[in-house]
Amino acid sequence: MATLLGMLVLAGALTFWAGATVVGWSRARNAGRLPRPPRPRPSPARLAALTAGLALVAGGAVHAYGLTYLPTLFPEDACWFNAGAKVSPDSSGALPVSLVCNGEEVVPGWVNPALLVLGGTGLAATVTSVVLAARARAERRVAARTDAGDDS
């Protein structure tokens, strides 16, 4: 009981300290004592790369969720836990994610379309990012040549 009470007091004290720190930072910034940090605009290539990364991570999470339905060491347990039947699966596959027990698909119907959309989005955003980065690099080279030619 004493340990629980000590943890509650510690949690309350840490929460109060964190709140007071944030309020202090906010007041200092509003009073003009702290400069605002510069925030450069991200390039379109960087935004496309971030979109690609987010789509691929989300696709990986959806695929990992779908894989939780598949059998591991004891195949009959997959049907028992997911479909309520103590039988071996009729078929199963990791891509597209599928588990068929007693003629019924057990994996939710949204998993494979979500994988397709997220994978396509990730691929398209990756290609877009590469193209935009190459185009920006070419524009910088042309600008550098133009600037060097004006000095001569």
Side-chain angles (χ1 to χ4, degrees):
M1 184 67 179
T3 305
L4 177 63
L5 185 59
M7 292 295 288
L8 289 174
V9 169
L10 182 62
L14 289 175
T15 303
F16 176 77
W17 174 78
T21 302
V22 169
V23 168
W25 285 340
S26 175
R27 286 184 179 172
R29 174 164 289 158
N30 290 338
R33 290 183 286 185
L34 292 177
R36 292 226 179 251
R39 290 188 178 165
R41 290 188 72 178
S43 69
R46 182 176 296 260
L47 289 176
L50 290 174
T51 302
L54 182 63
L56 293 175
V57 167
V62 168
H63 193 248
Y65 172 75
L67 291 179
T68 62
Y69 284 90
L70 297 185
T72 53
L73 293 176
F74 303 104
E76 64 274 359
D77 286 348
C79 288
W80 175 253
F81 291 127
N82 296 316
K86 189 75 169 168
V87 296
S88 292
D90 298 338
S91 67
S92 65
L95 200 60
V97 182
S98 174
L99 175 65
V100 179
C101 295
N102 285 338
E104 270 189 57
E105 178 63 44
V106 177
V107 177
W110 58 268
V111 171
N112 289 317
L115 284 175
L116 183 65
V117 168
L118 290 169
T121 302
L123 182 64
T126 300
V127 169
T128 303
S129 174
V130 169
V131 168
L132 289 174
R135 188 178 295 169
R137 179 176 287 172
E139 288 174 0
R140 283 193 303 266
R141 284 183 185 163
V142 169
R145 286 182 191 159
T146 306
D147 291 342
D150 290 341
D151 292 336
S152 299

Short mmCIF file of all heavy atoms in Angstrom, two decimals, residues 113-149:
data_model
loop_
_atom_site.label_atom_id
_atom_site.label_comp_id
_atom_site.label_asym_id
_atom_site.label_seq_id
_atom_site.Cartn_x
_atom_site.Cartn_y
_atom_site.Cartn_z
N PRO A 113 -7.65 -5.17 -49.46
CA PRO A 113 -7.77 -3.90 -50.17
C PRO A 113 -6.93 -2.79 -49.53
O PRO A 113 -6.34 -1.96 -50.23
CB PRO A 113 -9.26 -3.57 -50.10
CG PRO A 113 -9.93 -4.88 -49.93
CD PRO A 113 -8.97 -5.71 -49.13
N ALA A 114 -6.85 -2.78 -48.21
CA ALA A 114 -6.02 -1.77 -47.55
C ALA A 114 -4.55 -1.97 -47.90
O ALA A 114 -3.81 -0.99 -48.12
CB ALA A 114 -6.22 -1.83 -46.03
N LEU A 115 -4.11 -3.22 -47.96
CA LEU A 115 -2.73 -3.49 -48.36
C LEU A 115 -2.46 -2.99 -49.77
O LEU A 115 -1.41 -2.41 -50.05
CB LEU A 115 -2.43 -4.98 -48.28
CG LEU A 115 -2.20 -5.57 -46.91
CD1 LEU A 115 -2.05 -7.07 -46.99
CD2 LEU A 115 -0.99 -4.95 -46.26
N LEU A 116 -3.40 -3.21 -50.66
CA LEU A 116 -3.25 -2.78 -52.05
C LEU A 116 -3.18 -1.26 -52.14
O LEU A 116 -2.29 -0.71 -52.81
CB LEU A 116 -4.41 -3.31 -52.89
CG LEU A 116 -4.36 -3.00 -54.38
CD1 LEU A 116 -3.16 -3.69 -55.00
CD2 LEU A 116 -5.64 -3.43 -55.05
N VAL A 117 -4.07 -0.56 -51.46
CA VAL A 117 -4.10 0.91 -51.51
C VAL A 117 -2.84 1.49 -50.87
O VAL A 117 -2.20 2.39 -51.44
CB VAL A 117 -5.37 1.45 -50.83
CG1 VAL A 117 -5.29 2.94 -50.59
CG2 VAL A 117 -6.60 1.11 -51.66
N LEU A 118 -2.47 1.00 -49.71
CA LEU A 118 -1.29 1.55 -49.02
C LEU A 118 -0.01 1.22 -49.77
O LEU A 118 0.90 2.07 -49.86
CB LEU A 118 -1.23 1.03 -47.59
CG LEU A 118 -2.31 1.58 -46.66
CD1 LEU A 118 -2.33 0.82 -45.35
CD2 LEU A 118 -2.12 3.06 -46.42
N GLY A 119 0.10 0.04 -50.33
CA GLY A 119 1.28 -0.31 -51.12
C GLY A 119 1.38 0.54 -52.37
O GLY A 119 2.45 1.02 -52.74
N GLY A 120 0.25 0.74 -53.06
CA GLY A 120 0.23 1.59 -54.25
C GLY A 120 0.57 3.03 -53.93
O GLY A 120 1.31 3.68 -54.67
N THR A 121 0.02 3.53 -52.83
CA THR A 121 0.33 4.89 -52.41
C THR A 121 1.81 5.04 -52.08
O THR A 121 2.44 6.02 -52.46
CB THR A 121 -0.52 5.29 -51.19
OG1 THR A 121 -1.90 5.16 -51.53
CG2 THR A 121 -0.23 6.70 -50.74
N GLY A 122 2.35 4.07 -51.37
CA GLY A 122 3.78 4.12 -51.03
C GLY A 122 4.66 4.09 -52.27
O GLY A 122 5.63 4.85 -52.37
N LEU A 123 4.33 3.23 -53.22
CA LEU A 123 5.11 3.14 -54.45
C LEU A 123 5.00 4.42 -55.27
O LEU A 123 6.02 4.96 -55.73
CB LEU A 123 4.64 1.94 -55.27
CG LEU A 123 5.39 1.67 -56.56
CD1 LEU A 123 6.84 1.33 -56.24
CD2 LEU A 123 4.73 0.56 -57.33
N ALA A 124 3.79 4.94 -55.43
CA ALA A 124 3.61 6.17 -56.21
C ALA A 124 4.31 7.35 -55.54
O ALA A 124 4.94 8.18 -56.22
CB ALA A 124 2.12 6.47 -56.37
N ALA A 125 4.22 7.46 -54.23
CA ALA A 125 4.87 8.57 -53.53
C ALA A 125 6.39 8.44 -53.60
O ALA A 125 7.10 9.45 -53.68
CB ALA A 125 4.39 8.63 -52.08
N THR A 126 6.91 7.22 -53.58
CA THR A 126 8.36 7.03 -53.70
C THR A 126 8.85 7.48 -55.07
O THR A 126 9.85 8.21 -55.18
CB THR A 126 8.72 5.55 -53.47
OG1 THR A 126 8.31 5.17 -52.16
CG2 THR A 126 10.21 5.33 -53.62
N VAL A 127 8.16 7.07 -56.12
CA VAL A 127 8.54 7.48 -57.48
C VAL A 127 8.42 9.01 -57.62
O VAL A 127 9.31 9.65 -58.18
CB VAL A 127 7.67 6.75 -58.53
CG1 VAL A 127 7.86 7.34 -59.90
CG2 VAL A 127 7.99 5.27 -58.51
N THR A 128 7.36 9.58 -57.08
CA THR A 128 7.18 11.03 -57.13
C THR A 128 8.30 11.75 -56.41
O THR A 128 8.83 12.76 -56.90
CB THR A 128 5.83 11.42 -56.51
OG1 THR A 128 4.79 10.74 -57.21
CG2 THR A 128 5.59 12.91 -56.57
N SER A 129 8.70 11.25 -55.27
CA SER A 129 9.78 11.86 -54.50
C SER A 129 11.09 11.84 -55.28
O SER A 129 11.81 12.84 -55.32
CB SER A 129 9.95 11.14 -53.17
OG SER A 129 11.06 11.62 -52.47
N VAL A 130 11.39 10.71 -55.89
CA VAL A 130 12.64 10.59 -56.66
C VAL A 130 12.61 11.56 -57.85
O VAL A 130 13.59 12.26 -58.13
CB VAL A 130 12.86 9.14 -57.12
CG1 VAL A 130 13.98 9.04 -58.13
CG2 VAL A 130 13.14 8.26 -55.91
N VAL A 131 11.49 11.62 -58.56
CA VAL A 131 11.39 12.51 -59.72
C VAL A 131 11.51 13.97 -59.30
O VAL A 131 12.23 14.76 -59.93
CB VAL A 131 10.06 12.25 -60.47
CG1 VAL A 131 9.79 13.34 -61.49
CG2 VAL A 131 10.09 10.89 -61.14
N LEU A 132 10.82 14.36 -58.23
CA LEU A 132 10.90 15.75 -57.77
C LEU A 132 12.30 16.12 -57.29
O LEU A 132 12.78 17.23 -57.53
CB LEU A 132 9.88 16.00 -56.65
CG LEU A 132 8.41 16.02 -57.09
CD1 LEU A 132 7.51 16.11 -55.87
CD2 LEU A 132 8.15 17.16 -58.04
N ALA A 133 12.98 15.19 -56.61
CA ALA A 133 14.34 15.47 -56.15
C ALA A 133 15.29 15.61 -57.34
O ALA A 133 16.15 16.51 -57.35
CB ALA A 133 14.81 14.36 -55.22
N ALA A 134 15.14 14.76 -58.36
CA ALA A 134 16.00 14.86 -59.55
C ALA A 134 15.73 16.16 -60.29
O ALA A 134 16.66 16.82 -60.77
CB ALA A 134 15.76 13.67 -60.46
N ARG A 135 14.48 16.56 -60.39
CA ARG A 135 14.12 17.80 -61.07
C ARG A 135 14.69 19.02 -60.31
O ARG A 135 15.22 19.94 -60.93
CB ARG A 135 12.61 17.92 -61.19
CG ARG A 135 12.18 19.07 -62.05
CD ARG A 135 10.68 19.12 -62.19
NE ARG A 135 10.21 17.95 -62.91
CZ ARG A 135 8.94 17.61 -62.99
NH1 ARG A 135 8.02 18.32 -62.40
NH2 ARG A 135 8.60 16.53 -63.69
N ALA A 136 14.61 19.00 -58.99
CA ALA A 136 15.15 20.11 -58.20
C ALA A 136 16.68 20.19 -58.33
O ALA A 136 17.24 21.28 -58.43
CB ALA A 136 14.76 19.95 -56.73
N ARG A 137 17.34 19.02 -58.37
CA ARG A 137 18.79 19.01 -58.53
C ARG A 137 19.18 19.57 -59.90
O ARG A 137 20.13 20.34 -60.03
CB ARG A 137 19.33 17.59 -58.38
CG ARG A 137 20.84 17.51 -58.58
CD ARG A 137 21.35 16.14 -58.33
NE ARG A 137 21.31 15.92 -56.88
CZ ARG A 137 21.56 14.74 -56.31
NH1 ARG A 137 21.84 13.71 -57.06
NH2 ARG A 137 21.53 14.63 -55.02
N ALA A 138 18.43 19.21 -60.94
CA ALA A 138 18.72 19.73 -62.28
C ALA A 138 18.50 21.23 -62.34
O ALA A 138 19.29 21.96 -62.96
CB ALA A 138 17.83 19.03 -63.31
N GLU A 139 17.46 21.73 -61.68
CA GLU A 139 17.21 23.18 -61.66
C GLU A 139 18.34 23.91 -60.93
O GLU A 139 18.73 25.00 -61.33
CB GLU A 139 15.87 23.47 -61.01
CG GLU A 139 14.68 23.08 -61.87
CD GLU A 139 13.36 23.25 -61.15
OE1 GLU A 139 13.36 23.67 -59.97
OE2 GLU A 139 12.32 22.96 -61.76
N ARG A 140 18.84 23.32 -59.85
CA ARG A 140 19.96 23.96 -59.14
C ARG A 140 21.21 24.00 -60.01
O ARG A 140 21.96 24.97 -59.98
CB ARG A 140 20.24 23.23 -57.83
CG ARG A 140 19.26 23.54 -56.73
CD ARG A 140 19.75 23.06 -55.37
NE ARG A 140 20.04 21.64 -55.34
CZ ARG A 140 19.18 20.70 -54.95
NH1 ARG A 140 17.97 21.04 -54.59
NH2 ARG A 140 19.54 19.44 -54.95
N ARG A 141 21.47 22.93 -60.77
CA ARG A 141 22.64 22.92 -61.66
C ARG A 141 22.51 23.99 -62.74
O ARG A 141 23.48 24.68 -63.05
CB ARG A 141 22.79 21.55 -62.32
CG ARG A 141 23.34 20.51 -61.40
CD ARG A 141 23.54 19.21 -62.13
NE ARG A 141 23.95 18.17 -61.22
CZ ARG A 141 23.89 16.88 -61.48
NH1 ARG A 141 23.42 16.48 -62.65
NH2 ARG A 141 24.29 16.00 -60.60
N VAL A 142 21.33 24.12 -63.32
CA VAL A 142 21.12 25.14 -64.35
C VAL A 142 21.30 26.52 -63.75
O VAL A 142 21.94 27.40 -64.35
CB VAL A 142 19.72 24.98 -64.99
CG1 VAL A 142 19.37 26.18 -65.85
CG2 VAL A 142 19.66 23.70 -65.80
N ALA A 143 20.78 26.74 -62.55
CA ALA A 143 20.92 28.05 -61.90
C ALA A 143 22.39 28.33 -61.59
O ALA A 143 22.86 29.47 -61.73
CB ALA A 143 20.10 28.09 -60.63
N ALA A 144 23.15 27.31 -61.17
CA ALA A 144 24.56 27.50 -60.85
C ALA A 144 25.35 27.84 -62.14
O ALA A 144 26.24 28.70 -62.12
CB ALA A 144 25.14 26.27 -60.19
N ARG A 145 25.02 27.18 -63.24
CA ARG A 145 25.71 27.48 -64.51
C ARG A 145 25.37 28.90 -64.98
O ARG A 145 26.23 29.60 -65.49
CB ARG A 145 25.30 26.48 -65.58
CG ARG A 145 25.91 25.13 -65.39
CD ARG A 145 25.50 24.19 -66.50
NE ARG A 145 25.89 22.83 -66.17
CZ ARG A 145 25.34 21.77 -66.71
NH1 ARG A 145 24.38 21.89 -67.61
NH2 ARG A 145 25.74 20.57 -66.35
N THR A 146 24.13 29.28 -64.83
CA THR A 146 23.71 30.62 -65.23
C THR A 146 24.42 31.67 -64.40
O THR A 146 24.89 32.69 -64.93
CB THR A 146 22.18 30.78 -65.09
OG1 THR A 146 21.55 29.73 -65.82
CG2 THR A 146 21.72 32.10 -65.60
N ASP A 147 24.51 31.46 -63.09
CA ASP A 147 25.20 32.41 -62.22
C ASP A 147 26.68 32.47 -62.54
O ASP A 147 27.29 33.54 -62.53
CB ASP A 147 25.01 32.03 -60.75
CG ASP A 147 23.58 32.24 -60.30
OD1 ASP A 147 22.83 32.97 -60.98
OD2 ASP A 147 23.20 31.66 -59.25
N ALA A 148 27.31 31.33 -62.84
CA ALA A 148 28.74 31.30 -63.17
C ALA A 148 28.98 31.96 -64.52
O ALA A 148 30.00 32.60 -64.72
CB ALA A 148 29.25 29.87 -63.18
N GLY A 149 28.05 31.83 -65.45
CA GLY A 149 28.21 32.44 -66.77
C GLY A 149 28.06 33.94 -66.74
O GLY A 149 28.64 34.66 -67.56
#
